Amino acid sequence: MKKTKSIAKPQYLKKTVVMAYLKGTGKSQTQLEDELGWGHGSLSKYLTYKNLIPPERLYQLAKAIGFGSTASYLVQYNPTTAMEEVQRVTALHRKKSKLDEEHSSEQAVPNLNGSEMEQIKTLLINITGAIQQNSNLMHKIVSLCSTNKDEIIGSVQSLQERAERQHAYIQSQVKDTKKVIKEMWS
Protein backbone atom coordinates (compact mmCIF):
# COMPACT_ATOMS: atom_id res chain seq x y z
CA MET A 1 0.00 0.00 0.00
CA LYS A 2 1.38 3.40 -1.00
CA LYS A 3 1.94 5.75 1.92
CA THR A 4 0.78 9.30 1.29
CA LYS A 5 2.36 12.35 2.86
CA SER A 6 -0.02 14.40 4.93
CA ILE A 7 -0.40 18.09 4.19
CA ALA A 8 -0.05 20.17 7.33
CA LYS A 9 0.03 23.80 6.20
CA PRO A 10 -2.02 26.01 3.83
CA GLN A 11 -1.27 25.43 0.14
CA TYR A 12 -1.74 27.01 -3.28
CA LEU A 13 -4.74 25.34 -4.92
CA LYS A 14 -4.23 23.83 -8.38
CA LYS A 15 -6.80 25.88 -10.30
CA THR A 16 -6.79 23.73 -13.46
CA VAL A 17 -7.95 20.61 -11.62
CA VAL A 18 -10.79 22.38 -9.81
CA MET A 19 -11.94 24.20 -12.95
CA ALA A 20 -11.87 20.95 -14.96
CA TYR A 21 -14.01 19.31 -12.26
CA LEU A 22 -16.51 22.19 -12.30
CA LYS A 23 -16.68 22.16 -16.09
CA GLY A 24 -17.03 18.37 -16.22
CA THR A 25 -19.83 18.29 -13.65
CA GLY A 26 -21.53 21.48 -14.79
CA LYS A 27 -21.39 22.85 -11.25
CA SER A 28 -20.73 26.47 -10.42
CA GLN A 29 -18.26 27.57 -7.78
CA THR A 30 -21.20 28.63 -5.60
CA GLN A 31 -22.84 25.20 -5.91
CA LEU A 32 -19.61 23.48 -4.87
CA GLU A 33 -19.20 25.90 -1.95
CA ASP A 34 -22.77 25.14 -0.82
CA GLU A 35 -22.13 21.40 -1.15
CA LEU A 36 -19.01 21.75 1.03
CA GLY A 37 -20.68 24.11 3.51
CA TRP A 38 -18.20 26.90 2.76
CA GLY A 39 -19.01 30.60 2.63
CA HIS A 40 -19.74 32.11 -0.76
CA GLY A 41 -16.62 33.47 -2.42
CA SER A 42 -14.20 31.33 -0.41
CA LEU A 43 -13.44 28.98 -3.34
CA SER A 44 -12.85 32.00 -5.58
CA LYS A 45 -10.28 33.33 -3.11
CA TYR A 46 -8.43 30.01 -3.20
CA LEU A 47 -8.57 29.86 -7.01
CA THR A 48 -7.26 33.43 -7.40
CA TYR A 49 -4.56 32.83 -4.75
CA LYS A 50 -5.84 35.60 -2.49
CA ASN A 51 -6.03 32.92 0.23
CA LEU A 52 -4.07 29.71 0.57
CA ILE A 53 -6.34 26.73 1.17
CA PRO A 54 -6.02 25.27 4.69
CA PRO A 55 -5.32 21.52 4.94
CA GLU A 56 -8.75 20.63 6.35
CA ARG A 57 -10.52 22.33 3.45
CA LEU A 58 -8.06 20.85 0.95
CA TYR A 59 -8.91 17.33 2.15
CA GLN A 60 -12.62 18.17 2.17
CA LEU A 61 -12.39 19.38 -1.45
CA ALA A 62 -10.35 16.33 -2.50
CA LYS A 63 -13.03 14.05 -1.09
CA ALA A 64 -15.83 16.00 -2.83
CA ILE A 65 -14.02 15.90 -6.19
CA GLY A 66 -13.42 12.18 -5.89
CA PHE A 67 -9.76 11.94 -4.91
CA GLY A 68 -10.62 10.45 -1.52
CA SER A 69 -7.92 11.31 0.99
CA THR A 70 -5.32 12.08 -1.71
CA ALA A 71 -5.30 15.86 -1.59
CA SER A 72 -1.88 16.20 -3.24
CA TYR A 73 -3.57 16.23 -6.70
CA LEU A 74 -5.06 19.61 -5.73
CA VAL A 75 -1.82 21.26 -4.59
CA GLN A 76 0.16 23.64 -6.80
CA TYR A 77 3.60 22.71 -5.48
CA ASN A 78 5.50 25.18 -7.69
CA PRO A 79 3.64 28.48 -7.41
CA THR A 80 4.48 31.07 -10.03
CA THR A 81 5.85 34.48 -9.20
CA ALA A 82 2.45 35.95 -10.03
CA MET A 83 0.70 33.63 -7.55
CA GLU A 84 3.16 34.63 -4.86
CA GLU A 85 2.72 38.31 -5.78
CA VAL A 86 -1.06 38.01 -5.28
CA GLN A 87 -0.37 36.51 -1.86
CA ARG A 88 2.02 39.34 -0.95
CA VAL A 89 -0.38 42.08 -2.08
CA THR A 90 -3.30 40.42 -0.27
CA ALA A 91 -1.20 40.03 2.87
CA LEU A 92 -0.27 43.72 2.71
CA HIS A 93 -3.91 44.66 2.30
CA ARG A 94 -4.91 42.46 5.25
CA LYS A 95 -2.13 43.91 7.37
CA LYS A 96 -3.30 47.44 6.53
CA SER A 97 -6.90 46.55 7.36
CA LYS A 98 -5.86 45.00 10.66
CA LEU A 99 -3.81 48.05 11.58
CA ASP A 100 -6.69 50.33 10.64
CA GLU A 101 -9.02 48.30 12.85
CA GLU A 102 -6.63 48.62 15.76
CA HIS A 103 -6.41 52.39 15.13
CA SER A 104 -2.65 52.13 15.17
CA SER A 105 -1.38 55.30 13.54
CA GLU A 106 2.10 55.03 15.00
CA GLN A 107 3.37 52.72 12.26
CA ALA A 108 3.81 53.86 8.66
CA VAL A 109 1.06 52.23 6.64
CA PRO A 110 0.61 53.01 2.97
CA ASN A 111 -2.58 54.87 2.23
CA LEU A 112 -3.86 53.10 -0.86
CA ASN A 113 -6.53 55.12 -2.59
CA GLY A 114 -9.09 53.69 -4.99
CA SER A 115 -7.10 54.46 -8.10
CA GLU A 116 -3.94 52.82 -6.70
CA MET A 117 -5.92 49.71 -5.75
CA GLU A 118 -7.46 49.64 -9.24
CA GLN A 119 -3.97 49.94 -10.75
CA ILE A 120 -2.75 46.97 -8.70
CA LYS A 121 -5.92 45.03 -9.52
CA THR A 122 -5.45 45.69 -13.25
CA LEU A 123 -1.81 44.57 -13.11
CA LEU A 124 -2.78 41.39 -11.27
CA ILE A 125 -5.58 40.67 -13.76
CA ASN A 126 -3.06 41.09 -16.60
CA ILE A 127 -0.66 38.71 -14.88
CA THR A 128 -3.42 36.16 -14.28
CA GLY A 129 -4.46 36.34 -17.94
CA ALA A 130 -0.87 35.89 -19.04
CA ILE A 131 -0.50 32.87 -16.76
CA GLN A 132 -3.65 31.34 -18.26
CA GLN A 133 -2.29 31.91 -21.77
CA ASN A 134 0.96 30.24 -20.74
CA SER A 135 -1.01 27.32 -19.33
CA ASN A 136 -2.91 27.03 -22.61
CA LEU A 137 0.38 26.95 -24.52
CA MET A 138 1.63 24.15 -22.31
CA HIS A 139 -1.55 22.15 -22.95
CA LYS A 140 -1.05 22.62 -26.71
CA ILE A 141 2.52 21.33 -26.43
CA VAL A 142 1.31 18.24 -24.59
CA SER A 143 -1.43 17.59 -27.15
CA LEU A 144 1.10 17.80 -29.97
CA CYS A 145 2.81 14.69 -28.68
CA SER A 146 0.30 12.59 -30.62
CA THR A 147 1.12 14.13 -34.04
CA ASN A 148 4.03 13.35 -36.37
CA LYS A 149 7.65 14.37 -35.74
CA ASP A 150 7.95 17.22 -38.30
CA GLU A 151 4.69 18.82 -37.19
CA ILE A 152 5.77 18.53 -33.57
CA ILE A 153 9.11 20.22 -34.18
CA GLY A 154 7.58 23.15 -36.08
CA SER A 155 4.71 23.59 -33.66
CA VAL A 156 6.87 23.27 -30.57
CA GLN A 157 9.30 25.88 -31.89
CA SER A 158 6.43 28.26 -32.59
CA LEU A 159 4.85 27.61 -29.18
CA GLN A 160 8.20 27.97 -27.45
CA GLU A 161 8.68 31.40 -29.02
CA ARG A 162 5.18 32.42 -27.92
CA ALA A 163 5.80 31.07 -24.42
CA GLU A 164 9.07 33.01 -24.18
CA ARG A 165 7.35 36.23 -25.24
CA GLN A 166 4.56 35.54 -22.74
CA HIS A 167 7.12 34.86 -20.01
CA ALA A 168 8.84 38.19 -20.72
CA TYR A 169 5.45 39.92 -20.56
CA ILE A 170 4.65 38.29 -17.20
CA GLN A 171 8.03 39.38 -15.84
CA SER A 172 7.43 42.96 -16.95
CA GLN A 173 3.96 42.94 -15.31
CA VAL A 174 5.42 41.62 -12.06
CA LYS A 175 8.15 44.27 -12.23
CA ASP A 176 5.53 46.99 -12.82
CA THR A 177 3.47 45.69 -9.89
CA LYS A 178 6.50 45.72 -7.60
CA LYS A 179 7.33 49.26 -8.76
CA VAL A 180 3.80 50.51 -8.05
CA ILE A 181 3.78 48.89 -4.62
CA LYS A 182 7.25 50.26 -3.85
CA GLU A 183 6.17 53.76 -4.89
CA MET A 184 3.15 53.51 -2.62
CA TRP A 185 5.36 52.64 0.35
CA SER A 186 7.68 55.59 -0.20
Side-chain angles (χ1 to χ4, degrees):
M1 180 182 216
K2 186 177 178 183
K3 188 174 181 179
T4 59
K5 185 177 176 184
S6 93
I7 298 168
K9 63 181 186 172
Q11 300 289 327
Y12 288 90
L13 185 60
K14 192 178 281 184
K15 181 178 183 174
T16 54
V17 175
V18 176
M19 296 308 288
Y21 170 77
L22 292 174
K23 185 176 181 180
T25 60
K27 292 181 182 177
S28 69
Q29 288 182 26
T30 304
Q31 288 171 321
L32 182 56
E33 289 167 340
D34 288 343
E35 182 181 310
L36 294 168
W38 296 358
H40 288 206
S42 56
L43 182 58
S44 176
K45 288 179 183 174
Y46 301 139
L47 293 172
T48 57
Y49 314 111
K50 290 179 181 174
N51 288 348
L52 297 179
I53 187 167
E56 59 278 1
R57 285 204 168 181
L58 184 65
Y59 284 103
Q60 188 182 13
L61 181 60
K63 186 176 181 182
I65 288 179
F67 293 138
S69 62
T70 311
S72 61
Y73 295 119
L74 295 172
V75 175
Q76 180 68 40
Y77 288 105
N78 299 310
T80 64
T81 304
M83 291 175 188
E84 292 170 340
E85 190 68 22
V86 170
Q87 273 293 299
R88 281 191 285 277
V89 169
T90 304
L92 285 173
H93 185 65
R94 284 189 187 126
K95 187 181 243 182
K96 180 188 179 307
S97 296
K98 185 175 181 180
L99 289 172
D100 287 347
E101 286 175 15
E102 296 172 356
H103 303 289
S104 173
S105 60
E106 294 175 20
Q107 295 181 357
V109 178
N111 187 13
L112 303 177
N113 63 35
S115 117
E116 291 168 331
M117 288 302 288
E118 282 302 312
Q119 189 176 7
I120 290 173
K121 182 179 174 183
T122 301
L123 288 168
L124 292 174
I125 289 170
N126 290 344
I127 291 169
T128 304
I131 289 169
Q132 186 60 46
Q133 287 178 351
N134 240 11
S135 177
N136 292 342
L137 289 173
M138 294 306 292
H139 288 294
K140 286 181 182 179
I141 290 171
V142 170
S143 71
L144 285 172
C145 290
S146 63
T147 60
N148 75 46
K149 180 182 172 184
D150 293 334
E151 286 181 68
I152 290 173
I153 292 170
S155 295
V156 168
Q157 287 172 339
S158 169
L159 289 172
Q160 182 180 3
E161 291 167 4
R162 285 177 57 197
E164 288 170 357
R165 286 191 305 269
Q166 193 66 35
H167 181 73
Y169 174 76
I170 291 169
Q171 286 181 320
S172 75
Q173 289 295 307
V174 169
K175 185 177 177 182
D176 289 348
T177 303
K178 286 180 180 178
K179 181 181 173 186
V180 167
I181 292 171
K182 190 174 184 178
E183 288 172 358
M184 288 177 198
W185 280 95
S186 38

